[in-house]
Amino acid sequence: MNRKILKSTDPDLRRVSVPVKKIDKKIIALITDLKDTLKVQKDPEGVGLAAPQIGKPVRIFVFEFEDWKRVIINPKVLEISKAKSVVPAKGDGKEILEGCLSLPNYYGPLARSNKIKIEYMDEFGATKTEEFKGFIAQIVQHEIDHLEGILFVDRILEQKKPLFRFENDEWEEVELV
Ligand code: ZN
């Protein structure tokens, strides 16, 4: 079912999510809700959604980008590359601006690690180890942050990066306070 996505000012987004103990009916319904909700996001489009964003503080997120489709439960970071750089967009050499469905139309050039290796449980309960690179690694780090109650604008502040708003086909730099 399509759920409402909490906005960045909602205190529920600041909670640390709890691990999933067992994949029961409730968890399966939550995963379906996450997939359904992500799918209908068109303006702006989304590539990932974490359970706390629909008001459920449990350690699950989903992402979908090109051929990459994953349901990630209880992620544990095994390795994360030290080299932090702004992930370049394919081909054109420009930076990828990071955004969030809880803060639609705001974007910033956030530096993330280029590689992250995690252990997680998939939606069928199987334990997996997988390494993600580039833009996918960026998505995974963004979603894991959600499970810790961290938003990308916190990282923008940390890294003293600019934040932009995209509205009516125009980019405008905004102040973060
Ligand atoms: Zn987000």
Side-chain angles (χ1 to χ4, degrees), residues 48 53 99-102 142-143 146 151-152:
Q53 288 181 280
C100 181
L101 290 169
S102 291
H142 177 109
E143 300 307 332
H146 272 304
L151 298 177
F152 90 99

